[in-house]
Amino acid sequence: MSFGQGGPPWGPGDGSPQGRQPYGQQQPHGRQGPATPDWEALATASEARGRKRRWALLGGGAVATVAVAALVATLVVRANSDAPKASGPIGGVSSSSALPEDTTAPAPSFSEVAPPPPPDPKEFVSSAEKDKAPLTAESLYPGRKLTVGDRVYAKGALHRTAECASGTQGALGQVLTKHGCEQLVRATYRRDGVAVTVGVATFRTAAVAAEVKEESSGNIASLAGEGVPTFCRTTVCRSTANAYGRYVYFTVGGFTNGDRVTKQDRAVFTTGDDVAEFTLRQIHRRGVAQASRAAATQ
């Protein structure tokens, strides 16, 4: 059978071993055209690859999420470890402190009345009614010497009498008697040829003592003895008068050799001032001691 020219005996659209070819295009013998793709298989394979990719993305996202969470937790822990340690939990209440079980107990009450002020020491040496402590020459002038800074004075004779005028010179005795002097205590101190006698007279009140100081004239009599000769009886000496509370204290000072005292004799002035200052302190100590006892009994 002759095929003739112009192509195979089957026309377009007929089935052939080579599959459907476009009309007018023939393949040479020995070569075959590409087979028709299996679209369903390709779709199935593509879907499978899509599923694998989605699972890979999901898995990677989960891993990333876990990694981020771990990183955040680590930063929080480190931040907390770097923060300053508080002395207690928030609110200032210690977790180890036990809270009171009974909160209905009444709160402590405080008196609105202020405590009385401490007694004034001077008040106790300003009147005979309060100044009850015993007074002797030894209690007023204790020991055997008086030390003031680098100056040391030896103590001489002591004397105490209720006849106040007997221990005075000039008009002072009359002043003491007029105002009701209760007693007169005298003591003498000496140093380097200078001697000073101090006399302390007591009265009922501070007001009377102030009057005696203002009216004083003359002086107390120097007290000799205990190594001190008679002094300041017939020569010029230095004298003072002061008052504290119900006490009036006088000094008379000069040279044990009888020399007269002048303003340039600083040793006499210094000795008299030291003895007078010591006397004032002793009177004040009486007031302090009695005020302390009174405060203890309130």
Side-chain angles (χ1 to χ4, degrees), residues 196-238:
V196 172
T197 294
V198 56
V200 181
T202 63
F203 299 87
R204 295 294 298 174
T205 66
V208 174
E211 293 179 6
V212 171
K213 175 192 172 184
E214 294 300 322
E215 298 177 14
S216 62
S217 178
N219 212 331
I220 59 170
S222 61
L223 181 63
E226 299 293 332
V228 179
T230 301
F231 66 101
C232 290
R233 293 296 180 91
T234 60
T235 187
V236 176
C237 287
R238 189 227 184 186

Side-chain angles (χ1 to χ4, degrees), residues 54-268:
R54 285 196 297 273
W55 280 113
L57 291 176
L58 289 176
V63 172
T65 301
V66 172
V68 171
L71 177 60
V72 172
T74 301
L75 292 177
V76 170
V77 171
R78 291 188 60 186
N80 289 336
S81 64
D82 293 339
K85 302 298 182 182
S87 58
I90 297 176
V93 179
S94 174
S95 60
S96 61
S97 301
L99 296 176
E101 296 180 359
D102 184 9
T103 59
T104 62
S109 60
F110 301 94
S111 174
E112 297 182 358
V113 179
D120 183 3
K122 189 175 181 179
E123 180 181 340
F124 284 84
V125 293
S126 294
S127 68
E129 284 73 19
K130 286 192 173 183
D131 189 15
K132 298 295 186 179
L135 177 65
T136 63
E138 289 74 15
S139 65
L140 196 57
Y141 298 104
R144 303 184 63 178
K145 62 183 179 180
L146 170 63
T147 302
V148 180
D150 59 350
R151 299 179 295 277
V152 179
Y153 302 98
K155 187 173 74 174
L158 294 176
H159 185 263
R160 175 182 177 270
T161 181
E163 300 293 333
C164 298
S166 65
T168 66
Q169 294 185 109
L172 182 59
Q174 296 176 355
V175 175
L176 299 184
T177 301
K178 170 187 172 182
H179 290 283
C181 178
E182 298 175 335
Q183 61 180 325
L184 177 65
V185 175
R186 288 182 296 166
T188 297
Y189 289 90
R190 70 182 189 275
R191 177 175 181 264
D192 297 337
V194 175
V196 172
T197 294
V198 56
V200 181
T202 63
F203 299 87
R204 295 294 298 174
T205 66
V208 174
E211 293 179 6
V212 171
K213 175 192 172 184
E214 294 300 322
E215 298 177 14
S216 62
S217 178
N219 212 331
I220 59 170
S222 61
L223 181 63
E226 299 293 332
V228 179
T230 301
F231 66 101
C232 290
R233 293 296 180 91
T234 60
T235 187
V236 176
C237 287
R238 189 227 184 186
S239 61
T240 66
N242 290 283
Y244 183 80
R246 71 187 191 104
Y247 297 81
V248 183
Y249 53 102
F250 309 89
T251 65
V252 57
F255 297 105
T256 56
N257 61 5
D259 289 347
R260 62 179 303 188
V261 176
T262 67
K263 292 182 179 179
Q264 287 71 37
D265 295 320
R266 301 312 304 170
V268 175

